[in-house]
Amino acid sequence: MGPADGVIDLIHLADRPGTSGHRVFVRVLGRFQSGILTGHDVLDCEIVIVTEAVNATFAVTVLPEDLADWEDALTTLESGRFATWLDSGRTPSMKFKPDRSGGLWVSVHDGPSSGVTVTVPLFAPSETWAAEQRDLLARVRETYPREVVETSPGAYEWRRPVASKSPVGN
């Protein structure tokens, strides 16, 4: 499936070609409930892990605030510190631990469903992996913009389109 299908990666972490072939990615499949106010801005996703010994997929829904949390996690990771994402307990969670050699350990814990935890070492991620993740996040936000606003607790409406500015002096 490719971008024409509406399927895009939010996260794609992998060892460089010619190394272990380990990959961890979060694939956005589409809107959870397109056209329904309360579910339109929620994204239907899957966390995918690929190694020599494990191929696993975990279903996950990503809320708009989860995208902001991923951006914060990236900032933490860029400073060389441990970060978590999706750690609310409602979905599988992810942990990211940079190591001193430039590698990155990624763990996915499916607490809400199976209880399984899979940890994948990425010994040779791209030197620009963090910037690449920011680019993917920007693409997801562009492809699936927020279109619903909560006007008061439990009350939602569609965002009004932004009026185009007319040139001054005409």
Side-chain angles (χ1 to χ4, degrees), residues 4-158:
D5 304 322
V7 176
I8 59 174
D9 286 346
L10 169 60
I11 298 171
H12 193 110
L13 298 166
D15 272 333
R16 290 186 197 128
T19 59
S20 74
H22 293 173
R23 294 185 299 145
V24 177
F25 51 100
V26 177
R27 179 181 292 154
V28 179
L29 305 174
R31 293 189 184 273
F32 180 65
Q33 294 178 316
S34 184
I36 299 173
L37 280 170
T38 55
H40 185 79
D41 286 343
V42 176
L43 300 178
D44 185 24
C45 301
E46 59 187 11
I47 300 169
V48 180
I49 298 168
V50 178
T51 72
E52 308 88 357
V54 175
N55 287 312
T57 303
F58 302 92
V60 64
T61 52
V62 173
L63 304 174
E65 52 268 25
D66 294 331
L67 296 178
D69 291 345
W70 174 232
E71 187 169 25
D72 292 343
L74 279 171
T75 299
T76 300
L77 287 167
E78 286 172 317
S79 70
R81 297 177 308 181
F82 172 88
T84 60
W85 185 57
L86 297 175
D87 58 353
S88 68
R90 67 175 167 74
T91 66
S93 61
M94 298 183 76
K95 295 180 181 180
F96 305 87
K97 182 180 178 187
D99 67 27
R100 293 178 194 191
S101 67
L104 182 67
W105 293 76
V106 182
S107 295
V108 176
H109 176 65
D110 184 24
S113 183
S114 66
V116 169
T117 299
V118 179
T119 300
V120 178
L122 300 172
F123 297 113
S126 157
E127 291 180 12
T128 59
W129 69 266
E132 292 164 3
Q133 302 319 300
R134 287 195 183 282
D135 290 345
L136 291 173
L137 175 59
R139 184 168 177 223
V140 167
R141 286 177 165 159
E142 180 181 307
T143 304
Y144 297 103
R146 288 191 75 173
E147 297 178 338
V148 176
V149 63
E150 187 172 12
T151 56
S152 61
Y156 301 90
E157 65 181 41
W158 296 104

